[in-house]
Amino acid sequence: MARSARSSTTRLFYTLCSSTKRTPLTPQHPPPTPVAALLAGNFQLRHYAASSATARVREEKDAVWRESLEKVRNIGISAHIDSGKTTLTERVLFYTGRIHEIHEVRGKDGVGAKMDSMDLEREKGITIQSAATYCTWKDYQVNIIDTPGHVDFTIEVERALRVLDGAILVLCSVGGVQSQSITVDRQMRRYDVPRLAFINKLDRMGADPWKVLNQARSKLRHHSAAVQVPIGLEDDFKGLIDLVQSKAYYFHGSNGEKIVAEDIPADMEAIASEKRRELIEAVSEVDDKLAESFLNDEPISSADLEAAIRRATIARKFVPFFMGSAFKNKGVQTLLDGVLSYLPCPVEVSNYALDQTKDEEKVTLTGNPSGPLVALAFKLEEGRFGQLTYLRIYEGVIRKGDFIINVNTGKKIKIPRLVRMHSNEMEDIQEAHAGQIVAVFGVDCASGDTFTDGSVKYTMTSMNVPEPVMSLAVSPVSKDSGGQFSKALNRFQKEDPTFRVGLDAESGETIISGMGELHLDIYVERIRREYKVEAQVGRPRVNFRETITKRADFDYLHKKQSGGQGQYGRVIGYVEPLEPGSGSKFEFENMLVGQTIPSNYVPAIEKGFREAANSGSLIGHPVENIRVVLTDGASHNVDSSELAFKLASIYAFRQCYTAAKPIILEPVMLVDIKVPTEFQGTVTGDINKRKGVIIGNDQEGDDSVITANVPLNMMFGYSTSLRSMTQGKGEFTMEYREHAPVSGDTQTQLVNAYKASKES
């Protein structure tokens, strides 16, 4: 009886072992005792069951977070000024139920659009700061950043696109692809952002979506096609034909909130069929799966076409074009459907960090909320409750009350308050996970800092910050308000990386620098409104640069004896211009052989040359595109020091600078001017007077569009001149292009003016 019990127990053990398919459980020799074997089997079985249960829980968790992230879209809306970005965002918020009334950007009720929360934005009818919001559309959470269109606020677009997964490029159906459209498209390319295009204002006179689509192909080099066809244009614009679903959509109700789907009108079947074929051909060129069906003449279903467009858009090989009129409430809901269908969710975008512990090795971020926290501070604002820091979370979870580490500074910070932004309103939340955009209070950091939970030392790559091109001298009218004045400048400098504050060493004036006249005017106005400080403003100054055109040798001995330890340092070498397009502005090369100068003095020599290059001798502006090569020198056992070699370098630079044939560089702007054709001759003549070079002249209906490169120094007060030349009908936009050499007579004038100012 006992034997049979034991044998049945042994059989049970072997049965269990074989069912688990674990090789370690199949013994080579019979077990010492059946009881021991049973215990061993039970232990292994429990261990296996526990580990498989853990794996199953992990898989379920992964599936849940992936599913939740698949229902998230982080998008930005960018365009040329006055293309309708803010109006479009207003309609999106209305249709998604975030706001219950529509207000126009320059509406008669004076309320203004929701996303333009600053008084200045509502008064001027322009967006100055990018504003974040979120909404829900068909169970998807859409985080939106509305960005400025004016080139002076380009940093707002730059930092928004740095953290977004997708974007909508808004184009005006009349204006088409304009100068700032090209700039924002270039920014989208820089950060590898997949995008949709929305041709807006189809209700306007002269609307031509097909012209805009062709311009996008030629000017922006988009591989694109329309996914919609408008039913009528201008005053007859009634609805849209969806080429993917082969349906016609009409927008009824006082605010276009009722969408009616119908069959394609009989008189438009031919054009819809032609444009659908064009769409399929365009997508087939960049998607192998669709190409196979297309080449085999297989019928292509709506689902197949939609999936192919999604793949091609996310791979940044295709840009689908949507159409509508945000102002007339047509086409916004179908655009939102397009955002869900074609733009990526956070896990479909490749994001990577740099591991500081492994020599900045690239690490791919999975977007897993259960991973280590990695978040990027991309925008700062001074709020009512202190500094508000906008964060994009790339991995992990952030909770109110958590301690996080600023990797750039090493500081440990507690999060006192976590919010989600809706323009200037905020909603308190307890936690946020990967893929979300949130804001935190009370965190002292700079724009571009990376935060982690301390388990990893990752940093995100920073955004591109353009150099300022214009400066103003500012000072408070009342000396009593100096404290508030400094506070304002410090705050704005921290918030906006393109806004710089400096001190003129000679005049003692405070100099603010920025991206243009409007940029600096806005900050002067904000100082007055937000800090109650009246400021005096000097004439705008252009940020000239100096450079050299030929090689020049230097050999300078700095020797000074004044009792006690003296100063002795000799530096020999040459300066030469850098190759065009080298990327760096100053290079120092140590080509010393032997120990003629001890190696510990070389950093002081480099520092001296860098300091000297901060102020050229022509007009006192920084010297760029220069290489300094140190070939020889001499030192003294007692009298040599870091200071002696630093001074020797400064004097050596000044000694050889004139021999290197220096020239002055000035910022040249790319100017886009749109005027009625009757004024074309007058405006062109004026551009020539301003030493501009006309590079393009196109006709758009009754208007001429003149594109020119004009020195910034000649563009002050141009808006007033243009208005008077064109009876108020002309408009222009301007953006920085490059620093280029000034003409000989201009250089002489600038040098003489600089000498006169120094003598006085």
Side-chain angles (χ1 to χ4, degrees), residues 544-577:
F544 292 104
R545 294 284 182 268
E546 297 182 27
T547 191
I548 58 172
T549 55
K550 59 176 283 189
R551 173 177 158 156
D553 296 321
F554 60 81
D555 180 349
Y556 190 86
L557 170 64
H558 177 66
K559 190 175 179 183
K560 197 174 181 184
Q561 198 69 45
S562 56
Q565 185 181 339
Q567 291 179 11
Y568 186 96
R570 185 181 181 188
V571 288
I572 301 170
Y574 60 89
V575 295
E576 63 179 3

Side-chain angles (χ1 to χ4, degrees), residues 443-474:
V443 172
D444 186 32
C445 68
S447 187
D449 283 358
T450 306
F451 292 94
T452 70
D453 54 10
S455 62
V456 289
K457 200 172 182 184
Y458 294 166
T459 57
M460 303 298 293
T461 52
S462 60
M463 63 209 82
N464 177 63
V465 179
E467 285 294 310
V469 294
M470 189 182 285
S471 301
L472 282 177
V474 290

Side-chain angles (χ1 to χ4, degrees), residues 24 31 51 64 150 157 170 251 295 391 448 504-505 573 697 705 725 743:
S51 63
V64 168
H150 205 288
V157 186
V170 183
F251 305 87
L295 293 170
L391 293 178
D504 189 312
N697 197 337
V705 179
M725 279 187 288
S743 59

Side-chain angles (χ1 to χ4, degrees), residues 530-644:
E530 295 173 31
Y531 288 88
K532 307 289 184 281
V533 176
E534 292 291 338
Q536 280 175 227
V537 179
R539 187 180 181 276
R541 287 189 348 170
V542 173
N543 287 350
F544 292 104
R545 294 284 182 268
E546 297 182 27
T547 191
I548 58 172
T549 55
K550 59 176 283 189
R551 173 177 158 156
D553 296 321
F554 60 81
D555 180 349
Y556 190 86
L557 170 64
H558 177 66
K559 190 175 179 183
K560 197 174 181 184
Q561 198 69 45
S562 56
Q565 185 181 339
Q567 291 179 11
Y568 186 96
R570 185 181 181 188
V571 288
I572 301 170
Y574 60 89
V575 295
E576 63 179 3
L578 283 169
E579 291 293 318
S582 62
S584 64
K585 294 175 180 178
F586 179 96
E587 284 182 12
F588 177 81
E589 205 170 326
N590 176 13
M591 294 181 68
L592 286 172
V593 177
Q595 282 289 311
T596 51
I597 299 175
S599 56
N600 57 312
Y601 293 137
V602 173
I605 294 170
E606 182 179 350
K607 192 176 178 185
F609 278 112
R610 282 187 183 276
E611 207 170 288
N614 281 337
S615 176
S617 57
L618 288 179
I619 55 170
H621 281 256
V623 182
E624 285 186 351
N625 306 326
I626 185 170
R627 178 191 283 119
V628 178
V629 181
L630 181 68
T631 57
D632 203 355
S635 63
H636 189 277
N637 288 339
V638 178
D639 291 346
S640 285
S641 63
E642 288 189 0
L643 176 64

Side-chain angles (χ1 to χ4, degrees), residues 343-564:
L343 288 181
C345 68
V347 289
E348 290 174 305
V349 178
S350 298
N351 290 305
Y352 64 85
L354 305 175
D355 191 340
Q356 297 303 312
T357 61
K358 294 182 181 174
D359 197 23
E360 297 203 341
E361 183 184 299
K362 279 189 181 182
V363 181
T364 303
L365 300 176
T366 59
N368 191 335
S370 58
L373 172 70
V374 181
L376 175 70
F378 67 94
K379 177 175 160 67
L380 311 178
E381 256 180 41
E382 194 66 34
R384 294 189 301 273
F385 309 104
Q387 182 177 304
L388 184 66
T389 305
Y390 287 76
L391 293 178
R392 162 71 200 263
I393 306 167
Y394 286 97
E395 198 157 306
V397 176
I398 193 167
R399 295 181 181 84
K400 181 182 172 182
D402 274 1
F403 283 95
I404 57 174
I405 307 287
N406 183 335
V407 180
N408 301 66
T409 63
K411 285 183 184 172
K412 191 175 185 181
I413 302 154
K414 186 178 181 180
I415 296 171
R417 190 177 174 197
L418 190 64
V419 296
R420 284 169 78 188
M421 298 303 297
H422 176 42
S423 185
N424 60 337
E425 295 170 13
M426 51 198 81
E427 174 198 326
D428 280 280
I429 54 174
Q430 294 305 307
E431 67 172 40
H433 58 73
Q436 291 190 319
I437 293 170
V438 293
V440 294
F441 277 105
V443 172
D444 186 32
C445 68
S447 187
D449 283 358
T450 306
F451 292 94
T452 70
D453 54 10
S455 62
V456 289
K457 200 172 182 184
Y458 294 166
T459 57
M460 303 298 293
T461 52
S462 60
M463 63 209 82
N464 177 63
V465 179
E467 285 294 310
V469 294
M470 189 182 285
S471 301
L472 282 177
V474 290
S475 58
V477 172
S478 161
K479 289 187 177 174
D480 299 340
S481 52
Q484 284 292 92
F485 181 69
S486 300
K487 192 176 172 185
L489 293 182
N490 288 337
R491 172 195 156 186
F492 296 146
Q493 199 176 3
K494 200 172 182 185
E495 285 182 4
D496 183 351
T498 58
F499 179 74
R500 313 276 171 85
V501 180
L503 197 69
D504 189 312
E506 290 173 8
S507 64
E509 291 177 314
T510 300
I511 306 294
I512 58 171
S513 305
M515 299 307 296
E517 268 183 290
L518 179 64
H519 191 209
L520 297 177
D521 286 349
I522 291 291
Y523 277 118
V524 171
E525 183 64 16
R526 286 184 67 186
I527 290 169
R528 187 178 70 77
R529 291 188 183 207
E530 295 173 31
Y531 288 88
K532 307 289 184 281
V533 176
E534 292 291 338
Q536 280 175 227
V537 179
R539 187 180 181 276
R541 287 189 348 170
V542 173
N543 287 350
F544 292 104
R545 294 284 182 268
E546 297 182 27
T547 191
I548 58 172
T549 55
K550 59 176 283 189
R551 173 177 158 156
D553 296 321
F554 60 81
D555 180 349
Y556 190 86
L557 170 64
H558 177 66
K559 190 175 179 183
K560 197 174 181 184
Q561 198 69 45
S562 56

